mmCIF file of all heavy atoms in Angstrom:
data_model
loop_
_atom_site.group_PDB
_atom_site.id
_atom_site.type_symbol
_atom_site.label_atom_id
_atom_site.label_comp_id
_atom_site.label_asym_id
_atom_site.label_seq_id
_atom_site.Cartn_x
_atom_site.Cartn_y
_atom_site.Cartn_z
ATOM 1 N N ALA C 1 -13.244 -8.465 -13.545
ATOM 2 C CA ALA C 1 -12.044 -7.733 -14.063
ATOM 3 C C ALA C 1 -11.913 -6.412 -13.526
ATOM 4 O O ALA C 1 -10.842 -5.985 -12.962
ATOM 5 C CB ALA C 1 -12.000 -7.838 -15.588
ATOM 6 N N PRO C 2 -12.896 -5.513 -13.581
ATOM 7 C CA PRO C 2 -12.804 -4.164 -13.036
ATOM 8 C C PRO C 2 -12.621 -4.281 -11.513
ATOM 9 O O PRO C 2 -11.856 -3.464 -10.903
ATOM 10 C CB PRO C 2 -14.111 -3.477 -13.391
ATOM 11 C CG PRO C 2 -14.615 -4.194 -14.605
ATOM 12 C CD PRO C 2 -14.197 -5.618 -14.372
ATOM 13 N N LEU C 3 -13.308 -5.188 -10.891
ATOM 14 C CA LEU C 3 -13.159 -5.368 -9.405
ATOM 15 C C LEU C 3 -11.746 -5.716 -9.031
ATOM 16 O O LEU C 3 -11.182 -5.232 -8.157
ATOM 17 C CB LEU C 3 -14.136 -6.370 -8.896
ATOM 18 C CG LEU C 3 -14.114 -6.662 -7.376
ATOM 19 C CD1 LEU C 3 -14.236 -5.401 -6.563
ATOM 20 C CD2 LEU C 3 -15.077 -7.732 -7.003
ATOM 21 N N GLU C 4 -11.137 -6.698 -9.810
ATOM 22 C CA GLU C 4 -9.790 -7.107 -9.553
ATOM 23 C C GLU C 4 -8.863 -5.935 -9.721
ATOM 24 O O GLU C 4 -7.950 -5.764 -8.940
ATOM 25 C CB GLU C 4 -9.376 -8.218 -10.484
ATOM 26 C CG GLU C 4 -10.089 -9.521 -10.178
ATOM 27 C CD GLU C 4 -9.861 -10.617 -11.212
ATOM 28 O OE1 GLU C 4 -9.386 -10.306 -12.306
ATOM 29 O OE2 GLU C 4 -10.176 -11.702 -10.929
ATOM 30 N N GLN C 5 -9.114 -5.081 -10.695
ATOM 31 C CA GLN C 5 -8.259 -3.866 -10.863
ATOM 32 C C GLN C 5 -8.327 -2.957 -9.723
ATOM 33 O O GLN C 5 -7.305 -2.446 -9.267
ATOM 34 C CB GLN C 5 -8.602 -3.206 -12.225
ATOM 35 C CG GLN C 5 -8.203 -4.019 -13.480
ATOM 36 C CD GLN C 5 -8.787 -3.388 -14.693
ATOM 37 O OE1 GLN C 5 -9.581 -2.447 -14.707
ATOM 38 N NE2 GLN C 5 -8.339 -3.909 -15.849
ATOM 39 N N ARG C 6 -9.599 -2.706 -9.254
ATOM 40 C CA ARG C 6 -9.757 -1.799 -8.141
ATOM 41 C C ARG C 6 -9.145 -2.327 -6.847
ATOM 42 O O ARG C 6 -8.504 -1.582 -6.105
ATOM 43 C CB ARG C 6 -11.306 -1.580 -7.913
ATOM 44 C CG ARG C 6 -12.048 -0.919 -9.032
ATOM 45 C CD ARG C 6 -11.822 0.585 -9.175
ATOM 46 N NE ARG C 6 -12.074 1.346 -7.957
ATOM 47 C CZ ARG C 6 -13.216 1.928 -7.615
ATOM 48 N NH1 ARG C 6 -14.275 1.819 -8.371
ATOM 49 N NH2 ARG C 6 -13.267 2.668 -6.550
ATOM 50 N N LEU C 7 -9.298 -3.652 -6.650
ATOM 51 C CA LEU C 7 -8.680 -4.225 -5.475
ATOM 52 C C LEU C 7 -7.146 -4.222 -5.519
ATOM 53 O O LEU C 7 -6.483 -3.932 -4.517
ATOM 54 C CB LEU C 7 -9.188 -5.663 -5.239
ATOM 55 C CG LEU C 7 -10.624 -5.742 -4.944
ATOM 56 C CD1 LEU C 7 -11.071 -7.295 -4.884
ATOM 57 C CD2 LEU C 7 -10.985 -5.136 -3.576
ATOM 58 N N ALA C 8 -6.592 -4.453 -6.698
ATOM 59 C CA ALA C 8 -5.149 -4.396 -6.872
ATOM 60 C C ALA C 8 -4.649 -2.948 -6.622
ATOM 61 O O ALA C 8 -3.626 -2.754 -5.955
ATOM 62 C CB ALA C 8 -4.787 -4.865 -8.278
ATOM 63 N N GLN C 9 -5.361 -2.038 -7.072
ATOM 64 C CA GLN C 9 -5.084 -0.567 -6.782
ATOM 65 C C GLN C 9 -5.093 -0.359 -5.313
ATOM 66 O O GLN C 9 -4.205 0.343 -4.753
ATOM 67 C CB GLN C 9 -6.019 0.375 -7.544
ATOM 68 C CG GLN C 9 -5.740 1.809 -7.336
ATOM 69 C CD GLN C 9 -6.742 2.663 -8.051
ATOM 70 O OE1 GLN C 9 -7.893 2.327 -8.150
ATOM 71 N NE2 GLN C 9 -6.305 3.818 -8.546
ATOM 72 N N LEU C 10 -6.065 -0.804 -4.641
ATOM 73 C CA LEU C 10 -6.186 -0.612 -3.197
ATOM 74 C C LEU C 10 -5.007 -1.204 -2.460
ATOM 75 O O LEU C 10 -4.428 -0.615 -1.540
ATOM 76 C CB LEU C 10 -7.512 -1.250 -2.643
ATOM 77 C CG LEU C 10 -7.756 -1.193 -1.120
ATOM 78 C CD1 LEU C 10 -7.795 0.230 -0.627
ATOM 79 C CD2 LEU C 10 -9.018 -1.994 -0.754
ATOM 80 N N VAL C 11 -4.638 -2.449 -2.828
ATOM 81 C CA VAL C 11 -3.499 -3.133 -2.208
ATOM 82 C C VAL C 11 -2.241 -2.285 -2.416
ATOM 83 O O VAL C 11 -1.423 -2.109 -1.467
ATOM 84 C CB VAL C 11 -3.330 -4.553 -2.751
ATOM 85 C CG1 VAL C 11 -1.930 -5.145 -2.332
ATOM 86 C CG2 VAL C 11 -4.449 -5.466 -2.267
ATOM 87 N N ARG C 12 -2.011 -1.778 -3.632
ATOM 88 C CA ARG C 12 -0.829 -0.949 -3.858
ATOM 89 C C ARG C 12 -0.857 0.260 -3.005
ATOM 90 O O ARG C 12 0.232 0.651 -2.508
ATOM 91 C CB ARG C 12 -0.797 -0.530 -5.392
ATOM 92 C CG ARG C 12 -0.353 -1.653 -6.354
ATOM 93 C CD ARG C 12 0.032 -1.138 -7.721
ATOM 94 N NE ARG C 12 -1.092 -0.389 -8.354
ATOM 95 C CZ ARG C 12 -2.072 -0.994 -9.026
ATOM 96 N NH1 ARG C 12 -2.148 -2.307 -9.087
ATOM 97 N NH2 ARG C 12 -3.037 -0.271 -9.560
ATOM 98 N N ARG C 13 -2.012 0.938 -2.858
ATOM 99 C CA ARG C 13 -2.030 2.122 -2.022
ATOM 100 C C ARG C 13 -1.833 1.890 -0.580
ATOM 101 O O ARG C 13 -1.260 2.672 0.150
ATOM 102 C CB ARG C 13 -3.401 2.827 -2.235
ATOM 103 C CG ARG C 13 -3.488 3.523 -3.592
ATOM 104 C CD ARG C 13 -4.773 4.281 -3.699
ATOM 105 N NE ARG C 13 -4.832 4.930 -4.984
ATOM 106 C CZ ARG C 13 -5.650 5.944 -5.296
ATOM 107 N NH1 ARG C 13 -6.486 6.328 -4.452
ATOM 108 N NH2 ARG C 13 -5.547 6.452 -6.506
ATOM 109 N N LEU C 14 -2.319 0.734 -0.093
ATOM 110 C CA LEU C 14 -2.173 0.369 1.265
ATOM 111 C C LEU C 14 -0.742 -0.082 1.573
ATOM 112 O O LEU C 14 -0.287 -0.002 2.698
ATOM 113 C CB LEU C 14 -3.136 -0.681 1.741
ATOM 114 C CG LEU C 14 -4.588 -0.314 1.737
ATOM 115 C CD1 LEU C 14 -5.516 -1.515 1.967
ATOM 116 C CD2 LEU C 14 -4.861 0.763 2.802
ATOM 117 N N HIS C 15 -0.038 -0.646 0.596
ATOM 118 C CA HIS C 15 1.307 -1.171 0.756
ATOM 119 C C HIS C 15 2.286 0.013 0.704
ATOM 120 O O HIS C 15 2.976 0.223 -0.247
ATOM 121 C CB HIS C 15 1.649 -2.149 -0.359
ATOM 122 C CG HIS C 15 2.863 -2.926 -0.118
ATOM 123 N ND1 HIS C 15 3.074 -4.140 -0.507
ATOM 124 C CD2 HIS C 15 4.056 -2.580 0.531
ATOM 125 C CE1 HIS C 15 4.299 -4.585 -0.149
ATOM 126 N NE2 HIS C 15 4.879 -3.599 0.432
ATOM 127 N N THR C 16 2.361 0.781 1.792
ATOM 128 C CA THR C 16 3.188 1.959 1.910
ATOM 129 C C THR C 16 4.193 1.781 2.973
ATOM 130 O O THR C 16 3.804 1.478 4.131
ATOM 131 C CB THR C 16 2.271 3.185 2.176
ATOM 132 O OG1 THR C 16 1.329 3.310 1.133
ATOM 133 C CG2 THR C 16 3.091 4.430 2.174
ATOM 134 N N PRO C 17 5.476 1.896 2.706
ATOM 135 C CA PRO C 17 6.475 1.787 3.774
ATOM 136 C C PRO C 17 6.230 2.907 4.885
ATOM 137 O O PRO C 17 5.798 3.990 4.541
ATOM 138 C CB PRO C 17 7.818 2.015 3.075
ATOM 139 C CG PRO C 17 7.486 1.751 1.630
ATOM 140 C CD PRO C 17 6.023 2.100 1.410
ATOM 141 N N VAL C 18 6.502 2.514 6.117
ATOM 142 C CA VAL C 18 6.313 3.452 7.224
ATOM 143 C C VAL C 18 7.762 3.808 7.753
ATOM 144 O O VAL C 18 8.552 2.885 7.968
ATOM 145 C CB VAL C 18 5.510 2.822 8.360
ATOM 146 C CG1 VAL C 18 5.439 3.732 9.584
ATOM 147 C CG2 VAL C 18 4.075 2.466 7.825
ATOM 148 N N VAL C 19 8.046 5.061 7.874
ATOM 149 C CA VAL C 19 9.294 5.516 8.397
ATOM 150 C C VAL C 19 9.152 5.808 9.914
ATOM 151 O O VAL C 19 8.313 6.597 10.341
ATOM 152 C CB VAL C 19 9.816 6.787 7.643
ATOM 153 C CG1 VAL C 19 11.164 7.238 8.264
ATOM 154 C CG2 VAL C 19 9.914 6.598 6.181
ATOM 155 N N LEU C 20 9.961 5.069 10.629
ATOM 156 C CA LEU C 20 9.896 5.170 12.097
ATOM 157 C C LEU C 20 10.649 6.390 12.557
ATOM 158 O O LEU C 20 11.436 6.993 11.817
ATOM 159 C CB LEU C 20 10.464 3.914 12.761
ATOM 160 C CG LEU C 20 9.800 2.611 12.349
ATOM 161 C CD1 LEU C 20 10.512 1.448 13.075
ATOM 162 C CD2 LEU C 20 8.287 2.566 12.790
ATOM 163 N N GLU C 21 10.485 6.844 13.888
ATOM 164 C CA GLU C 21 11.229 7.989 14.395
ATOM 165 C C GLU C 21 12.698 7.881 14.293
ATOM 166 O O GLU C 21 13.353 8.908 14.169
ATOM 167 C CB GLU C 21 10.722 8.207 15.801
ATOM 168 C CG GLU C 21 9.261 8.662 15.967
ATOM 169 C CD GLU C 21 8.907 8.902 17.392
ATOM 170 O OE1 GLU C 21 9.708 8.804 18.292
ATOM 171 O OE2 GLU C 21 7.662 9.071 17.587
ATOM 172 N N ASP C 22 13.197 6.649 14.366
ATOM 173 C CA ASP C 22 14.648 6.520 14.370
ATOM 174 C C ASP C 22 15.201 6.402 12.882
ATOM 175 O O ASP C 22 16.367 6.156 12.725
ATOM 176 C CB ASP C 22 15.087 5.292 15.159
ATOM 177 C CG ASP C 22 14.585 3.994 14.579
ATOM 178 O OD1 ASP C 22 13.942 4.003 13.536
ATOM 179 O OD2 ASP C 22 14.813 2.946 15.272
ATOM 180 N N GLY C 23 14.330 6.547 11.902
ATOM 181 C CA GLY C 23 14.752 6.601 10.532
ATOM 182 C C GLY C 23 14.643 5.271 9.761
ATOM 183 O O GLY C 23 14.735 5.210 8.608
ATOM 184 N N ARG C 24 14.385 4.188 10.574
ATOM 185 C CA ARG C 24 14.218 2.884 9.901
ATOM 186 C C ARG C 24 12.900 2.862 9.162
ATOM 187 O O ARG C 24 11.936 3.583 9.520
ATOM 188 C CB ARG C 24 14.243 1.775 10.990
ATOM 189 C CG ARG C 24 15.557 1.530 11.614
ATOM 190 C CD ARG C 24 15.470 0.400 12.567
ATOM 191 N NE ARG C 24 14.583 0.735 13.655
ATOM 192 C CZ ARG C 24 13.879 -0.069 14.354
ATOM 193 N NH1 ARG C 24 13.922 -1.376 14.201
ATOM 194 N NH2 ARG C 24 13.079 0.384 15.376
ATOM 195 N N THR C 25 12.902 2.164 8.085
ATOM 196 C CA THR C 25 11.672 1.967 7.256
ATOM 197 C C THR C 25 11.189 0.570 7.429
ATOM 198 O O THR C 25 11.953 -0.403 7.360
ATOM 199 C CB THR C 25 12.033 2.247 5.790
ATOM 200 O OG1 THR C 25 12.494 3.530 5.612
ATOM 201 C CG2 THR C 25 10.731 2.139 4.938
ATOM 202 N N VAL C 26 9.920 0.453 7.703
ATOM 203 C CA VAL C 26 9.244 -0.837 7.889
ATOM 204 C C VAL C 26 8.228 -1.054 6.703
ATOM 205 O O VAL C 26 7.405 -0.164 6.442
ATOM 206 C CB VAL C 26 8.535 -0.877 9.220
ATOM 207 C CG1 VAL C 26 7.810 -2.185 9.372
ATOM 208 C CG2 VAL C 26 9.452 -0.598 10.418
#
């Protein structure tokens, strides 16, 4: 349970949109 919570937190932190130079978000 604690491991699942930590991994879910990691996934949320890694799931970050990237803004490209032309302004598009990926």
Side-chain angles (χ1 to χ4, degrees):
L3 178 59
E4 288 171 349
Q5 292 172 349
R6 298 284 307 267
L7 292 173
Q9 180 183 34
L10 176 61
V11 169
R12 283 192 305 275
R13 287 184 178 197
L14 292 173
H15 190 148
T16 304
V18 175
V19 179
L20 303 177
E21 290 179 7
D22 64 5
R24 291 182 295 152
T25 301
V26 178

